[in-house]
Amino acid sequence: MTQFSELDAGTLKSLLTHAADILLFVSEDGLINDIIGDSKLLGSIGAFSWCGQLISDALPGNAYAQFREFLSDVGNDQLGHECVVRHETGDGLTKTIAYSAALLSEQRTGIVLGKDISAFSELQNRVVELHRMMGEKLDAQKRVEAEYRTLFSIGSEPFLIVNVASGQITDANPAVAKTLGEELETLSKRSVVSLFRKSDHKELKALLGAVSRTQAQASLQARFANGQPLVVDVSPSFGGSETVIVRLRPAGSASGQMVTEDVLVEWVRAAVEAIVVTDEAGKVIWHNTAFEELVHLTSSTSERGLGEFFDPADLDFASVLKILSDNPRIRSLPASVRRPNGQILEVELSGTVIPDSDPRRIGFAIRNLSTRLTEDSANSAADASIETMLSRIGKAPLRELVQEETAGLEKNLILAALKLTGNNRAATAKVLGLSRQGLYSKLDRYGLGSD
């Protein structure tokens, strides 16, 4: 049998050519004596010009530094380590080549074998990008879930989370305990159908199963075990097909759509009043858009205390937290908010300890009093506008008068909309049918930008 060491140079060269996409013959001093391989690949990376060059000049960037170890290993009769190099191509793309080096003959001639792994490298990049995108989506879902959990805890309507397979209640908000007149702890792990009269059990179980399978909301009329009529709304939850959200409302109340977690979050986000949730030390955990607009928030609230946004001369926020440690709520405390530009706004602060929150959470509502327009001031402005218009008749062209009055009307409509929305800019733009940027432009035009 012919041994590998007995193969002639031509046969060995043929074998190596088939084993690699690029084959470089390199002298001991690093000079490329010959190069063979796939002509299309060699042409795309400009390798035809490498012959006669030092390998340090032929390879891109600082890739040669990695080949020094190869050549050193070759000189010591060792198999070189693999090195991956990205070559620029003429069309702006790249080719990823995995190189390895070995000793070819007693003449101390080294060979460098290159394998095109561009497809594998691209696949790796796509997998990495997919993991990144999945991570971002998971983070976004976790943020929405955290917001929902906060709203679930402070909501005034009864909500249950039910495991469909077992029919057991896995979670319930304080409003459920209040409605049923039971302790919240006793509801956990209890069968949801046990809350209702026996004649409704079969239909309720079927409803839970249908929502789990179809992931679509459904409702039914039922009665509590004590005979009280109610409507049961069931919708999918974050737990996928394993759990569902059950909302309980009195029979005869507005049916409408199920208030899902997305609806609750969006409603609080778009609320006219600024709403903030803090921990028991007053550090901001969550806030809505109205709070950002109220304080002209320019950076993240991470690690910031809510008390930092108030004028300490008008409100001792530490005292507010102390009051809430002994009382579940406080109402309409006068305070002042100081914006980054130095503007002071008069506000009212109300706070509520979120029931059964663990760790302890506090919800605050902040009402801006600086934008209130009294009826007398509005009437005075209207009378003044009429007097000004009468004085201008006959002294200016009709077109000019119309333009002035149109601008005045537009300004008054914007003021009225701001009053209606409690100075919530996002809601004002929506009411007036404007983009937010369009509204800001008009506010600047009429000198209302700092209101």
Side-chain angles (χ1 to χ4, degrees), residues 46-288:
F48 287 122
S49 63
W50 295 357
C51 195
Q53 295 186 48
L54 291 172
I55 192 171
S56 58
D57 297 328
L59 295 174
N62 57 3
Y64 174 65
Q66 302 176 61
F67 277 88
R68 290 176 182 169
E69 183 178 354
F70 286 5
L71 299 178
S72 174
D73 289 342
V74 170
N76 295 318
D77 296 334
Q78 298 176 8
L79 182 64
H81 302 288
E82 187 178 78
C83 173
V84 176
V85 178
R86 295 175 66 88
H87 293 272
E88 299 292 334
T89 64
D91 53 5
L93 303 177
T94 60
K95 286 289 184 180
T96 305
I97 310 296
Y99 291 99
S100 58
L103 182 68
L104 182 62
S105 68
E106 295 179 357
Q107 284 76 25
R108 317 306 295 171
T109 300
I111 59 169
V112 177
L113 300 91
K115 192 71 176 176
D116 184 3
I117 61 169
S118 300
F120 178 72
S121 178
E122 178 63 24
L123 180 60
Q124 282 186 317
N125 291 337
R126 292 178 63 182
V127 170
V128 170
E129 178 64 15
L130 180 61
H131 277 289
R132 185 191 65 79
M133 293 175 61
M134 291 176 63
E136 289 180 352
K137 290 183 178 180
L138 181 60
D139 289 342
Q141 181 179 358
K142 287 181 178 179
R143 287 195 297 271
V144 174
E145 286 186 31
E147 293 179 358
Y148 167 67
R149 292 302 308 172
T150 299
L151 297 172
F152 179 84
S153 299
I154 66 177
S156 60
E157 292 187 307
F159 283 92
L160 301 166
I161 307 296
V162 178
N163 182 286
V164 177
S166 65
Q168 290 183 329
I169 299 170
T170 61
D171 202 357
N173 69 346
V176 172
K178 183 178 179 181
T179 299
L180 298 175
E182 298 185 22
E183 293 295 327
L184 192 61
E185 292 75 13
T186 65
L187 293 174
S188 181
K189 304 303 181 183
R190 180 175 172 181
S191 172
V192 68
V193 297
S194 67
L195 305 179
F196 303 88
R197 63 181 182 179
K198 291 185 177 181
S199 58
D200 291 324
H201 289 188
K202 183 177 180 180
E203 189 176 0
L204 181 60
K205 289 179 179 179
L207 179 67
L208 297 177
V211 172
S212 174
R213 290 191 303 274
T214 63
Q215 294 292 290
Q217 176 206 332
S219 304
L220 64 77
Q221 298 276 344
R223 288 181 180 272
F224 276 137
N226 62 9
Q228 178 186 349
L230 74 156
V231 177
V232 181
D233 295 319
V234 183
S235 68
S237 75
F238 283 119
S241 59
E242 296 182 358
T243 59
V244 293
I245 302 174
V246 178
R247 173 197 180 197
L248 308 175
R249 54 186 172 86
S253 63
S255 55
Q257 291 291 321
M258 170 70 177
V259 181
T260 64
E261 57 271 18
D262 290 337
V263 174
L264 289 171
V265 169
E266 291 305 318
W267 175 76
V268 175
R269 280 177 175 159
V272 172
E273 292 186 351
I275 297 176
V276 183
V277 177
T278 74
D279 61 13
E280 60 182 351
K283 187 177 73 174
V284 175
I285 298 173
W286 184 89
H287 59 78
N288 65 352

Side-chain angles (χ1 to χ4, degrees), residues 309-375:
F309 298 95
F310 295 103
D311 189 336
D314 291 336
L315 180 72
D316 182 359
F317 192 71
S319 297
V320 173
L321 295 176
K322 187 176 186 307
I323 293 172
L324 286 169
S325 66
D326 301 321
N327 300 278
R329 63 178 57 87
I330 55 174
R331 299 179 185 272
S332 304
L333 291 178
S336 299
V337 167
R338 184 183 296 277
R339 288 176 168 174
N341 62 3
Q343 183 184 10
I344 302 295
L345 299 179
E346 301 300 320
V347 299
E348 283 183 350
L349 176 69
S350 297
T352 304
V353 177
I354 299 174
D356 300 303
S357 54
D358 185 20
R360 192 167 177 266
R361 298 289 184 255
I362 305 173
F364 290 95
I366 308 170
R367 176 175 297 176
N368 185 2
L369 305 180
S370 302
T371 58
R372 288 181 174 175
L373 298 178
T374 64
E375 184 178 350

